[in-house]
Amino acid sequence: MITINKYMTLGICKDNIHNITKDLQSILNVHFEEHESSYWGEYNVAILSEKENIRITYNYVDEDWQEEDFKQYPLLLKLNRVKEPEKIMNLLCSKLSYVTPLYLEEIEARVGRRKYYDSDKQDEL
């Protein structure tokens, strides 16, 4: 059986990672922990299972953009391999006006990847 992993990225218009984390913890009923890495800088992560996590990162880290096409969002919310990311996205967007879906990436092991942008719904292969 071929597994398709989904990775969804959402933009956050606000820049206070601590307040955003509190909002997300309340809505999703998950616990985030603070972490730091040389690649993502300071970030918060909620581990949902061995493979699933939700991560809040800064878009601009060490003089480099994580998502250069989306510089208007100081923070990024990554739904990594979670079950039903679209459902979580819809919930968050309905409750938090400062959250905007950016794209969904589907990666099929040893086959390829597709990237769907929210604004134009075009595939990028």
Side-chain angles (χ1 to χ4, degrees):
M1 185 172 120
I2 297 175
T3 302
I4 297 177
N5 294 309
K6 292 183 176 184
Y7 300 85
M8 183 171 282
T9 300
L10 299 97
I12 299 175
C13 294
K14 296 184 176 185
D15 63 359
N16 188 317
I17 196 168
H18 301 293
N19 289 343
I20 304 304
T21 300
K22 287 177 189 174
D23 289 348
L24 294 172
Q25 286 183 146
S26 174
I27 292 168
L28 299 175
N29 197 28
V30 296
H31 175 71
F32 284 84
E33 292 185 8
E34 294 180 9
H35 287 269
E36 189 171 344
S37 82
S38 58
Y39 183 73
W40 290 307
E42 293 178 22
Y43 67 98
N44 293 341
V45 65
I47 307 291
L48 306 179
S49 74
E50 186 178 317
K51 296 181 180 181
E52 301 171 288
N53 71 66
I54 299 173
R55 189 171 54 233
I56 309 165
T57 64
Y58 287 98
N59 193 4
Y60 192 72
V61 178
D62 290 333
E63 300 180 22
D64 197 20
W65 293 98
Q66 300 289 319
E67 296 290 343
E68 194 160 351
D69 292 338
F70 300 105
K71 292 179 180 177
Q72 67 270 37
Y73 300 104
L75 293 172
L76 301 170
L77 179 62
K78 305 270 191 170
L79 307 177
N80 298 316
R81 299 172 76 174
V82 299
K83 294 177 184 87
E84 302 182 89
E86 298 89 349
K87 186 177 176 182
I88 295 172
M89 174 204 68
N90 288 331
L91 173 65
L92 293 176
C93 289
S94 71
K95 301 226 180 243
L96 302 172
S97 62
Y98 56 80
V99 174
T100 302
L102 301 180
Y103 62 85
L104 170 67
E105 202 167 12
E106 293 180 343
I107 300 176
E108 196 170 339
R110 288 173 273 182
V111 175
R113 94 176 36 202
R114 287 192 182 97
K115 200 171 196 178
Y116 304 94
Y117 290 90
D118 186 63
S119 60
D120 56 17
K121 302 293 185 201
Q122 293 179 4
D123 290 0
E124 181 183 280
L125 298 176

